[in-house]
């Protein structure tokens, strides 16, 4: 229970992120145990949270690193991940980022367009290197999640479309500095309807057979990440159902002999361990609406403003009878609102509030807008 930490929280200046390293370790241990049942490799998606103490826990458990920028590659290497554990995706890798990753001898570039392959070939040739690449293919599979965090549909910018593959396989002969080692997919995030992963497996099998018909068998399959967490009931379901998730792939994904299967999980590994702790600055009573005005806003946690995300909110200081509030931040934007019509115990100036399940895509998206101070983090072991 977060309330038990109230006296600890009261010693710190708000707002701040509080990470529960105990829960993080439990989560990582369970994910590792379930993945290792099938010999699966898990790469942690750094973009969910790249704080050093979090990366240290991830690294300790032998996970790899999934990066989407040159600086994430650098951060992963600095944190101690070996270059052979680093994969690099992203639709817009700059020449400088590609050059840095080539120099670092990363395991694999997950390539998202034909032109990107041409550029990696050219830069690798200049460096006298061979780049290992996987094709990120857009499988046109619905993730049944919010449209803002769907990535595997034709209308999304991510990946190479299947109709481009025919032309593409013919061109690999022109690219002596690329070694095509695998296929990569990532259909979206916060996926709670696991049928989306079943559909993904079916598509991957079809696409894999298509390549086989053309004499191409790959040593690696990377099926991305996206496993969701329970934002509504973090106490009841603090850890995602890794067992059910990996089992789907074991049952449905057609693995060729010796083929290695890779996953890229971000949110499910770190989201529940993080909470944003904020103080109530003001109460304001409108005609219809009671506002709780916090000292944290969209600059500290952008997900509600960015993609209408829900976070559970808890008043840690009050046990009074409940009332209905709009919970908002101090930033000069109307979208700076964490929740509308939200039921909380009667709330007063000075109460401490926890915005739950904020460990992923929270602190990494912090902005300086309104010249805000950078939010701090504390770690509870
Ligand atoms: C963001 C991302 C992930 C991780 O997604 P989660 O929903 O956090 O698991 C994995 N792979 C790629 C390519 C990504 O961009």
């Amino acid at each position: 229970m977060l309330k038990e930490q109230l006296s600890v929280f009261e010693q710190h200046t708000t707002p701040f992120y509080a990470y529960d390293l105990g829960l993080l370790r439990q989560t990582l241990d369970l994910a590792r145990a379930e993945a290792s049942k099938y010999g699966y490799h898990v790469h942690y998606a750094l973009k969910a949270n790249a704080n050093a103490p979090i990366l240290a826990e991830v690294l300790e458990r032998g996970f790899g690193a999934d990066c989407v920028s040159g600086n994430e590659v650098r951060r992963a290497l600095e944190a101690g991940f070996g270059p052979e554990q680093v994969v690099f995706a992203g639709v817009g890798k700059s020449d400088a980022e590609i050059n840095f990753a080539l120099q670092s001898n990363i395991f694999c570039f997950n390539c998202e367009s034909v032109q990107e392959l041409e550029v990696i070939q050219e830069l690798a040739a200049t460096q006298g290197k061979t780049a290992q690449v996987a094709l990120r293919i857009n499988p046109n599979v619905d993730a049944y999640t919010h449209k803002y965090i769907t990535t595997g549909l034709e209308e999304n910018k991510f990946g190479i479309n299947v109709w481009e593959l025919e032309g593409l396989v013919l061109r690999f002969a022109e690219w002596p500095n690329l070694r095509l080692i695998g296929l990569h997919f990532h259909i979206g995030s916060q996926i709670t309807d696991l049928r989306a992963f079943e559909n993904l497996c079916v598509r991957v099998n079809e696409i894999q057979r298509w390549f086989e018909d053309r004499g191409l068998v790959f040593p690696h399959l990377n099926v991305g990440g996206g496993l969701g967490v329970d934002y509504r009931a973090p106490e009841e379901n603090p850890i995602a159902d890794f067992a059910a998730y990996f089992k789907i792939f074991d049952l449905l994904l057609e693995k060729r002999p010796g083929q290695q299967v890779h996953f890229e999980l971000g949110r499910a590994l770190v989201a529940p361990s993080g909470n944003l702790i904020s103080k109530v600055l003001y109460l304001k009573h409108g005609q219809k609406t009671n506002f709780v005005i916090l000292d944290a806003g969209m600059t500290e946690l952008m997900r509600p403003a960015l993609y209408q995300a829900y976070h559970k909110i808890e008043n840690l200081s009050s046990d009074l009878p409940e009332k209905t509030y709009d919970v908002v931040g101090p930033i000069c934007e109307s979208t700076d609102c964490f929740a509308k019509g939200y039921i909380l115990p009667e709330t007063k100036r000075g109460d401490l509030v926890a915005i739950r399940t904020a460990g992923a895509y929270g602190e990494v998206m912090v902005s300086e807008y309104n010249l805000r101070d950078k939010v701090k983090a504390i770690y509870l072991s």
Side-chain angles (χ1 to χ4, degrees), residues 58-120:
V58 171
L59 180 68
E60 203 175 293
R61 283 157 184 86
F63 294 113
D66 166 42
C67 303
V68 291
S69 73
N71 285 345
E72 282 191 4
V73 173
R74 187 173 285 111
R75 177 75 63 92
L77 296 172
E78 282 168 3
F81 291 90
E84 73 292 344
Q85 293 177 290
V86 173
V87 296
F88 183 14
V91 282
K93 302 178 187 79
S94 72
D95 293 23
E97 289 176 312
I98 292 168
N99 274 325
F100 174 68
L102 283 168
Q103 276 152 16
S104 307
N105 298 315
I106 63 161
F107 170 59
C108 190
F109 292 82
N110 292 332
C111 297
E112 309 219 10
S113 68
V114 177
Q115 199 164 32
E116 182 191 333
L117 288 159
E118 292 170 348
V119 170
I120 296 177

